[in-house]
Structure formats: structure tokens, C-alpha cells
Amino acid sequence: MAASSNSSLSGSSVSSDAEEYQPPIWKSYLYQLQQEAPRPKRIICPGEVENRPKYYGREFHGIISREQADELLGGVEGAYILRESQRQPGCYTLALRFGNQTLNYRLFYDGKHFVGEKRFESIHDLVTDGLITLYIETKASEYISKMTTNPIYEHIGYATLLREKVSRRLSRSKNEARKASVTSEEHPTVEKISSLVRRAALTHNDNHFNYEKTHNFKVHTFRGPHWCEYCANFMWGLIAQGVRCSDCGLNVHKQCSKHVPNDCQPDLKRIKKVYCCDLTTLVKAHNAQRPMVVDICIREIEARGLKSEGLYRVSGFTEHIEDVKMAFDRDGEKVDISANLYPDINIITGALKLYFRDLPIPVITYDTYSKFIEAAKISSADERLEAVHEVLMLLPPAHYETLRYLMIHLKKVTMNEKDNFMNAENLGIVFGPTLMRPPEDSMLTTLHDMRYQKLIVQILIENEDVLF
């Protein structure tokens, strides 16, 4: 998390917030160490070197021994050269002086330079980052190992004064969890209210549905100084200093990410689309029980389509279904799927089925798939029903709620069977492969399991009042 932000808010409400807001105490020790780290010193080769790779500069000294490299570095902290290995021609080594010794690293290039996981545009950046890491890990190894023992994440007292105010703002708009920033006349730097404050406010918001959700952390390069929002320590290095949750924006050290609770509160600004978005992520971002697609489509189908012959079995035009998909991605809850725009109800049923098929994790999750299949194989009807109920309890809450709501709807469809000719078995054929997919992408497994998929959905529809 950045120590300061370039954005600001104006108005009386902001100034009152600023008076009460107490920013967290970011720990500066690791930042100070980064400032103290040795600077890279390139040792230039005085003459032209034959067969020098085009992606290396004059720091390349050709084929020389370790002893020669050590002599060239001259004991200067941070000094470095590149050399070609005597033993393995075509292999290149970075010789770097640190801690009164010469360190040798096998050097690689694939469009970017690297010796480990991190990839750099230039050798200079690679060496700068390496010296920072070596220096900090040498000076503060014990400190780093204890960083996660007293995290600010679990004791966000500085957020308490803002919880009620932020919560009121959130409840006024369920469509968007707003981030705020405050400014103080005494302090020209603008402190952004972190995702920690946002998390606290959402946690205490009565309208919020508390589905557990893991953070979607991805390695991130932060521009400018950033501090970890879990341990409050500086995130050191030039690139890939930590990880950021792509759903809520939480910034933490990679090692701290393993300790962060499963309490991601997705930010609508980060959710780019409705289709193909993780189900739990979508409902938490919209502060809803179920995905809006499910609610809106089912509402439309029940209003004008329950008696339509072949409901869910008959397909609508693919291009019109894609239009509905794009409309949801573009307009969200304001989407218009009325009969004025889409008179054919099969377009709406097709859009709903497509939503389920596009989920990265199916409604019936990969983790529970095999257990449902095994339950379907039980010969005793009573025991089978009990086994299905037990597996249902293993579904993530948002998945369970979505499945429950869909089964209530499909039960209504079967109650109009004399008009639409769709019973629970027919709907099982349609929705089996739509709601559940095997973890391994195997056509053989899919074909083998189809009858069990159909049976599971049929059981869920016929017994929705008992199972849910």
C-alpha cells in the first residue's frame, strides 16, 4: 500500500473524516535498510570483447575465470561484471561483490534478464534489486521471520472511528463499495483509506452477506514505496515486491499472504465483467446473496415463460444469447432483458445456462464433484438422498444459495409440465453437465458420468423442499 496518494476529496464531510482518521503506523525499519543497501557499480571492460551477446553491455568481460573476476571487482561492495564460463562456453555468469566476498550467479535471458523468479529489463535493475534483497535479508533475517507474528490486519483499531461512516456510505449504494481518501490541512500528504478500513466497514455492514472468500493474490510490481497491509512493514525491492489481490486490492508481502484470512471483500471497480467471473467474487462485489444474472433471468422466465414448450431444452439464437451476455457485462443490474428486446424466452434461458457454463468453478464445485457422483451411484433411494444432502453441505455458501434458488425455480418449471413438457428428468439432462463438470477435462469421464449428473439434478429438483 502506498504511503501517500495523488488523489484527494474535497468538502466538509472529508475534513470531518480527516480530523478523526488515525493512519496506521507504518514500520520504517526495512525501508531504511533499503536506503542503506549498496549501490551497483558496473566494472567496464576496457576493450571490445568478441562474440559479446547483443543484450549485454560493456560490463561483459568474455571468457574469464572466477579468480580473474574476483580480481577485477577489487573488493568494492556492489561491484559487478558479467563473464562467460570457462567450463561451459555459452553459459553466462554474474559476478557480484557483496559482504566481502564474490558471489557468482548463473545468468539467463529470455527477452528479460533473470537469475531466479524475477525478470528484469536491464542488468543494472537486476543487480540493484539483488543488492537490496541481499542486504535486507542479511541485516534483518530474524526480523523478517517474525514479521507475521503481530499483524495490524488482526488489530485494525485505527479503522474503528471510520467504520460507521464508511458503513453508512456502503449501505447507501449496494452496487459499489466506495473507497475514500482524506486530506488534512496540517499534513499536505494525502492518506488513502486502505482496503483494511474498507474490509472493516463491510464486515460491520448489516446488509453484507458474509460468504467466505479467499483472496486472489497475484505477484505485483509497486511503483514507489509501498507497505504491507498485513504486517505494516515496507515491501522491499525494485520489482515484484509483493502480491496484490486482484479482487479487492489488498497489498501484502508474499510470505504474509499465507496468513491473511479468507475475508476478501471484492471491489466492484476491479470486477470487469459478470460472465466468467468467480461466483463468490461476483456476489460479494455486488453485496448480494446470488449472482444478479440468476435473479434477473429467473424473474423474467417466471414472469412470461413457465408454460413455454421445451423450456430450457429449446435453444435460442446464439448471437442473441451473446447479446444478453454482453448486456449483463456492460450494464450489470440495469440490464434490460424484457420481451420488448428479447421476445423469445429461449434467449433468456440460453443466457442463464451460458452463465452457469462459463463459471470458472461450476455451481457444483470441482471439490464436491466426485462425492456427488458417488452419491448418485447408491442404490437405496433413502440412503442416496441422505448422501446428496451431506455433500450439499460441503458447497461454498454462495454456491449452495445459488443452487437452492435455481432448484426452487426448476421445481416451478416441472409444475407446468402439462404445458412445457419439461419434467425433472428432462431438466436433469439439460442442467447436469451445465451445473457440474469433472475436475479433469476428460471427454471419457464426462460421457461416463452423464447419467449420474442427470440423476443428481433430478434428485435436487424433486426433493428441493427436503434437501435445502
Side-chain angles (χ1 to χ4, degrees):
M1 176 182 177
S4 63
S5 168
N6 293 326
S7 61
S8 64
L9 296 176
S10 61
S12 58
S13 63
V14 174
S15 60
S16 63
D17 280 356
E19 290 167 7
E20 296 184 19
Y21 177 61
Q22 298 296 317
I25 300 173
W26 302 113
K27 302 170 187 176
S28 61
Y29 176 53
L30 297 180
Y31 176 74
Q32 291 168 353
L33 287 182
Q34 174 160 314
Q35 298 303 103
E36 297 169 6
R39 299 293 184 261
K41 301 173 182 66
R42 183 172 70 145
I43 306 300
I44 294 174
C45 183
E48 281 295 323
V49 179
E50 289 186 16
N51 301 320
R52 182 182 73 190
K54 60 182 180 181
Y55 40 83
Y56 294 145
R58 294 185 62 189
E59 69 275 6
F60 182 73
H61 288 251
I63 299 177
I64 60 173
S65 67
R66 288 192 173 201
E67 291 74 23
Q68 289 173 304
D70 193 39
E71 188 176 335
L72 285 168
L73 294 173
V76 178
E77 197 78 347
Y80 72 95
I81 65 168
L82 307 184
R83 64 182 180 85
E84 186 172 357
S85 172
Q86 284 184 322
R87 298 175 184 174
Q88 295 177 288
C91 294
Y92 303 101
T93 299
L94 165 67
L96 173 65
R97 193 72 186 174
F98 177 80
N100 298 318
Q101 59 180 321
T102 299
L103 307 174
N104 291 277
Y105 297 94
R106 178 79 177 273
L107 193 59
F108 301 91
Y109 182 81
D110 64 354
K112 290 188 177 181
H113 303 279
F114 63 100
V115 296
E117 290 182 358
K118 294 185 178 183
R119 283 164 163 71
F120 299 83
E121 296 289 346
S122 70
I123 292 292
H124 183 83
D125 285 351
L126 184 153
V127 175
T128 303
D129 186 86
L131 286 169
I132 290 169
T133 302
L134 286 168
Y135 188 77
I136 288 178
E137 291 183 352
T138 300
K139 293 281 186 179
S141 59
E142 186 176 354
Y143 181 90
I144 291 170
S145 69
K146 295 178 179 178
M147 282 195 312
T148 60
T149 57
N150 187 29
I152 62 165
Y153 198 82
E154 299 296 338
H155 312 286
I156 49 176
Y158 66 88
T160 305
L161 292 174
L162 271 181
R163 280 178 180 169
E164 291 184 9
K165 291 185 177 180
V166 179
S167 183
R168 283 199 295 271
R169 293 174 191 155
L170 286 165
S171 62
R172 281 200 298 267
S173 173
K174 292 175 77 173
N175 294 338
E176 182 170 354
R178 300 175 183 172
K179 285 187 176 181
S181 60
V182 294
T183 183
S184 169
E185 292 178 3
E186 294 79 16
H187 302 284
T189 53
V190 181
E191 296 287 349
K192 183 189 288 185
I193 297 176
S194 74
S195 56
L196 288 176
V197 179
R198 189 171 157 276
R199 175 177 68 91
L202 282 164
T203 302
H204 287 74
N205 180 12
D206 292 338
N207 294 327
H208 180 67
F209 298 101
N210 287 311
Y211 295 145
E212 184 177 278
K213 180 190 175 320
T214 57
H215 289 271
N216 186 16
F217 286 121
K218 294 180 180 178
V219 175
H220 189 78
T221 293
F222 299 95
R223 303 301 177 190
H226 272 67
W227 273 256
C228 175
E229 294 178 33
Y230 182 79
C231 70
N233 280 288
F234 179 66
M235 301 167 79
W236 66 89
L238 277 194
I239 68 167
Q241 303 97 326
V243 294
R244 168 176 286 174
C245 176
S246 58
D247 294 334
C248 72
L250 184 71
N251 303 318
V252 296
H253 290 110
K254 188 176 180 181
Q255 59 266 48
C256 290
S257 68
K258 300 170 186 175
H259 302 274
V260 176
N262 296 334
D263 61 353
C264 176
Q265 306 289 358
D267 185 348
L268 265 179
K269 295 175 183 176
R270 298 178 180 276
I271 307 300
K272 303 301 182 185
K273 53 189 177 180
V274 173
Y275 278 68
C276 303
C277 177
D278 173 68
L279 194 154
T280 302
T281 300
L282 187 69
V283 298
K284 285 182 75 71
H286 285 271
N287 195 22
Q289 283 183 289
R290 298 172 296 275
M292 70 175 81
V293 181
V294 177
D295 279 2
I296 294 172
C297 286
I298 286 179
R299 189 161 58 241
E300 191 69 23
I301 293 163
E302 292 186 355
R304 61 183 173 100
L306 285 178
K307 296 183 185 298
S308 178
E309 185 175 337
L311 190 67
Y312 285 112
R313 180 178 55 79
V314 177
S315 300
F317 285 113
T318 302
E319 60 186 61
H320 293 165
I321 292 171
E322 285 293 325
D323 283 345
V324 173
K325 172 183 176 179
M326 287 189 289
F328 270 110
D329 285 339
R330 182 185 64 246
D331 303 328
E333 292 175 332
K334 297 178 181 177
V335 68
D336 182 3
I337 58 169
S338 65
N340 294 331
L341 284 179
Y342 303 102
D344 182 4
I345 197 63
N346 298 309
I347 295 169
I348 310 305
T349 59
L352 181 59
K353 288 187 292 182
L354 179 62
Y355 171 75
F356 289 130
R357 286 198 301 273
D358 278 355
L359 285 172
I361 300 175
V363 176
I364 292 177
T365 61
Y366 294 126
D367 290 342
T368 59
Y369 179 86
S370 61
K371 294 181 176 66
F372 272 109
I373 295 298
E374 290 306 311
K377 294 178 180 179
I378 297 173
S379 55
S380 167
D382 290 341
E383 291 179 13
R384 183 169 59 224
L385 195 64
E386 182 61 33
V388 169
H389 182 261
E390 287 179 7
V391 186
L392 276 174
M393 295 300 102
L394 301 178
L395 288 174
H399 287 246
Y400 177 91
E401 170 58 26
T402 301
L403 188 62
R404 183 193 69 81
Y405 192 73
L406 177 64
M407 292 305 122
I408 292 172
H409 164 65
L410 294 181
K411 186 67 170 286
K412 292 177 185 176
V413 173
T414 64
M415 290 166 67
N416 289 272
E417 182 187 354
K418 66 180 189 328
D419 296 305
N420 60 37
F421 301 106
M422 294 300 289
N423 57 28
E425 184 177 3
N426 293 336
L427 290 168
I429 294 170
V430 173
F431 277 95
T434 302
L435 297 176
M436 54 194 304
R437 304 190 296 271
E440 67 282 357
D441 189 14
S442 166
M443 183 61 70
L444 190 63
T445 303
T446 302
L447 290 172
H448 179 266
D449 290 349
M450 279 183 70
R451 59 176 173 155
Y452 300 116
Q453 293 173 351
K454 180 212 75 171
L455 182 57
I456 287 296
V457 175
Q458 182 179 342
I459 291 169
L460 293 175
I461 296 171
E462 291 175 343
N463 301 278
E464 57 84 16
D465 56 334
V466 175
L467 290 171
F468 295 96

